[in-house]
Amino acid sequence: EAAGDAGPGPELAAVIGATVPTGFEHTAAEEVREKLGSASRISRDRGKIYFEVPARSLPQVHRLRSVDNLFVVVQEFKDYQFEENKEDALKHLEDLVKKLPWTDPLKVWELNNSLKKKKTKRKKHNVQGPASREKLSGAGEEGGAEQSTTDEQEDCAQNPVETETPPGVPSRNGVEEEEDNEAEVKAGGQEGSGASEAGAGERVLRFRVTCSRAGDRHSFTSNEAARDFGGAVQEHFQWKADMTNFDVEVLLNIHNNEVVVGIALTEESLHRRNITHFGPTTLRSTLAYGMLRLCDPQPTDIIVDPMCGTGAIPIEGAAEWPNCYHIAGDNSPQAVKRAANNICSLLRKNESKDSSAALGVPLDVIQWDICNLPLRTGSVDIVVTDMPFGKRIGSKKKNWDLYPACLMEMGRICTPGTGRAVLLTQDKKCFAKALSRVGHIWRRAQTVWVNVGGLHAAVYLLRRTAERAEERAHC
């Protein structure tokens, strides 16, 4: 994918900001270093990283597995002094617009746009209907939509598929989660028209300003900041404000005294890349990637997700670690069908690419009982799963029996001494109690605190002790 000609003179460079699942900032920084050779800076504002790349690397940036949304940084102020008086503070934000170095970031935005146009046809044929309005939240499966399944489609999951899904693969919605529960308001300036200063020819660009603000020492609201900043942007460029059908999204991120102005490079989050059939709860592909990466999969590892929901974790695993063998299972026949359909969508996507023969994914899906798995003792290297939170699926009361039984059965199938498990749950009290009961089998190695749809959850990395497994537990 050629990024086009950045023009003569010094090569166009971009400072890219990326939003990532809260808690997995270091994982994202490691991926950027490995795949792009760039060092990242982790923002004090949780859930964001920044890195510099040549503009020609934009296609690789969009293929990162750990980032949700991307933007090019126009300018960053580490210690911005806000006026105490609201009118003065807002006036200063307006005045800022004329002083910002817009030229290169807008070139990067245009270059990004030219890449995006190549993918438009592929994006549109699969877009979801009403489900795409829903906001992502919760745990294991992906929230409620299409369930049309046939045995044929399910069988298709048995054909093993390695895949690299393109960015912007459809899925849910245009509404993005805020990692902090702070005000996030989308606003633009007053309507106007005129010629664009951004080198977009005669066409007048439409824009909106999105302001996300965290901190309690600001005299203004996010809405007011977005409105006044947007008015100044509109005046400066003679763009037209349009809240829904916009070309350019200008971002104004305010976190205490840190201010970052950016231009969005993603229309919808990159975490919506694998799932087309949704269940009652949701796990983002980016979070699934972070969990898988935590257990450091090695070639030939057998990786099991015993409560797979719609298959977000194993599908992400098969895409990024095709040299491992992934097994997805769930006790719900509906969940298994959805997972099978998601695998089918992936296979079809591969076939629709230009390659003459699509590869299969090393992934199988099966219906089973989590406490009575049809797997040989000690035969599995890694278990990665999203445990029931006890909110949308199951209950906190049921978890008191379910969690210890699950941990025992996971311990049985995992290889003593080398096996590992990465488990996500919001029911931390219940999990801690269950873990204390199976301390002879599992040792906690690391805890990552994450935000899952506004819920404070934890990802636990466990290591299997050398102790031999006890006889099978029953739920």
Side-chain angles (χ1 to χ4, degrees):
E1 288 177 273
D5 185 9
E11 185 172 36
L12 183 61
V15 176
I16 303 291
T19 60
V20 302
T22 308
F24 281 104
E25 295 89 349
H26 288 283
T27 302
E30 280 172 21
E31 189 194 9
V32 168
R33 189 176 62 245
E34 275 176 26
K35 295 181 179 174
L36 299 169
S38 299
S40 296
R41 185 169 50 76
I42 292 164
S43 171
R44 279 181 294 177
D45 181 8
R46 290 192 75 198
K48 287 193 184 74
I49 65 166
Y50 296 97
F51 53 92
E52 190 171 339
V53 290
R56 60 183 159 76
S57 299
L58 279 173
Q60 291 94 301
V61 172
H62 279 275
R63 285 200 286 269
L64 292 170
R65 312 293 297 188
S66 56
V67 306
D68 289 323
N69 285 293
L70 298 164
F71 57 95
V72 57
V73 174
V74 177
Q75 196 162 357
E76 187 179 1
F77 302 90
K78 295 233 169 72
D79 191 22
Y80 188 94
Q81 295 305 310
F82 289 100
E83 299 291 332
E84 286 185 28
N85 175 292
K86 185 205 283 194
E87 284 69 29
D88 291 345
L90 291 170
K91 181 74 172 72
H92 278 204
L93 280 176
E94 281 185 51
D95 293 343
L96 195 59
V97 171
K98 293 192 281 288
K99 301 172 190 164
L100 292 170
W102 294 99
T103 311
D104 281 359
L106 280 166
K107 281 184 190 164
V108 171
W109 171 81
E110 283 184 356
L111 194 53
N112 188 68
N113 253 21
S114 68
L115 293 170
K116 229 164 27 185
K117 279 175 190 144
K118 295 176 189 173
K119 296 178 180 137
T120 312
K121 282 181 188 165
R122 189 160 62 218
K123 267 177 76 174
K124 285 193 175 157
H125 76 277
N126 209 3
V127 172
Q128 291 288 312
S132 65
R133 302 279 176 274
E134 289 178 40
K135 184 145 176 167
L136 292 173
S137 63
E141 300 176 39
E142 328 285 300
E146 208 179 316
Q147 291 173 23
S148 57
T149 49
T150 65
D151 292 338
E152 236 173 15
Q153 282 177 307
E154 194 170 338
D155 290 344
C156 152
Q158 308 302 323
N159 297 336
V161 158
E162 174 198 357
T163 131
E164 179 182 74
T165 42
V169 166
S171 18
R172 309 265 307 206
N173 61 19
V175 183
E176 189 40 53
E177 292 176 68
E178 255 306 293
E179 295 291 358
D180 296 322
N181 294 329
E182 298 289 343
E184 195 233 345
V185 180
K186 298 176 169 81
Q190 302 77 27
E191 291 216 353
S193 64
S196 158
E197 205 180 282
E202 295 305 306
R203 190 169 70 87
V204 178
L205 290 177
R206 295 181 301 264
F207 83 102
R208 81 172 181 192
V209 170
T210 300
C211 176
S212 70
R213 185 183 59 83
D216 50 11
R217 295 196 178 171
H218 307 124
S219 57
F220 51 85
T221 66
S222 302
N223 204 355
E224 290 166 335
R227 180 197 64 209
D228 289 19
F229 194 81
V233 168
Q234 187 238 325
E235 202 176 306
H236 183 61
F237 288 108
Q238 295 296 296
W239 291 344
K240 183 173 180 174
D242 191 324
M243 305 308 299
T244 50
N245 190 20
F246 51 88
D247 304 300
V248 187
E249 182 171 27
V250 177
L251 306 173
L252 178 60
N253 295 331
I254 301 170
H255 183 257
N256 295 322
N257 274 16
E258 263 188 0
V259 175
V260 180
V261 179
I263 301 170
L265 299 178
T266 42
E267 281 173 30
E268 60 175 6
S269 177
L270 299 180
H271 73 248
R272 304 190 181 97
R273 54 175 169 252
N274 298 333
I275 305 300
T276 52
H277 293 69
F278 304 97
T281 55
T282 262
L283 189 71
R284 293 184 287 175
S285 299
T286 45
L287 190 50
Y289 174 83
M291 288 170 67
L292 282 154
R293 193 167 168 126
L294 204 56
C295 55
D296 190 25
Q298 299 299 311
T300 74
D301 276 353
I302 294 174
I303 304 176
V304 172
D305 182 350
M307 295 179 272
C308 71
T310 50
I313 292 171
I315 287 172
E316 185 65 22
E320 188 67 4
W321 289 276
N323 295 322
C324 299
Y325 179 53
H326 305 265
I327 306 173
D330 203 286
N331 68 344
S332 154
Q334 215 169 23
V336 170
K337 280 181 182 173
R338 286 182 190 132
N341 281 330
N342 285 324
I343 295 164
C344 282
S345 299
L346 210 92
L347 287 157
R348 280 196 296 273
K349 213 176 296 163
N350 276 12
E351 284 163 14
S352 72
K353 288 185 185 176
D354 298 333
S355 59
S356 50
L359 296 165
V361 278
L363 166 56
D364 279 317
V365 62
I366 186 171
Q367 186 182 339
W368 59 27
D369 171 4
I370 173 61
C371 302
N372 196 16
L373 297 173
L375 295 168
R376 195 175 293 166
T377 299
S379 63
V380 169
D381 298 287
I382 296 170
V383 173
V384 186
T385 200
D386 178 1
M387 314 268 290
F389 284 15
K391 287 186 177 287
R392 293 195 187 182
I393 292 182
S395 68
K396 298 264 182 184
K397 192 178 174 192
K398 283 183 183 166
N399 284 352
W400 284 97
D401 294 324
L402 178 67
Y403 277 25
C406 285
L407 286 169
M408 287 294 287
E409 184 67 345
M410 290 173 192
R412 182 189 70 78
I413 63 169
C414 262
T415 317
T418 58
R420 49 233 185 259
V422 172
L423 310 174
L424 166 68
T425 181
Q426 192 247 342
D427 198 347
K428 301 178 284 289
K429 189 177 171 187
C430 178
F431 186 85
K433 180 78 176 161
L435 194 57
S436 69
R437 286 168 61 179
V438 296
H440 57 296
I441 292 180
W442 291 111
R443 294 260 185 281
R444 187 165 70 186
Q446 194 180 340
T447 305
V448 178
W449 302 106
V450 295
N451 182 319
V452 181
L455 298 172
H456 185 56
V459 173
Y460 299 97
L461 170 62
L462 308 180
R463 296 203 179 278
R464 180 71 170 80
T465 64
E467 184 116 349
R468 291 189 58 180
E470 297 171 24
E471 58 185 77
R472 196 189 285 280
H474 290 279
C475 297

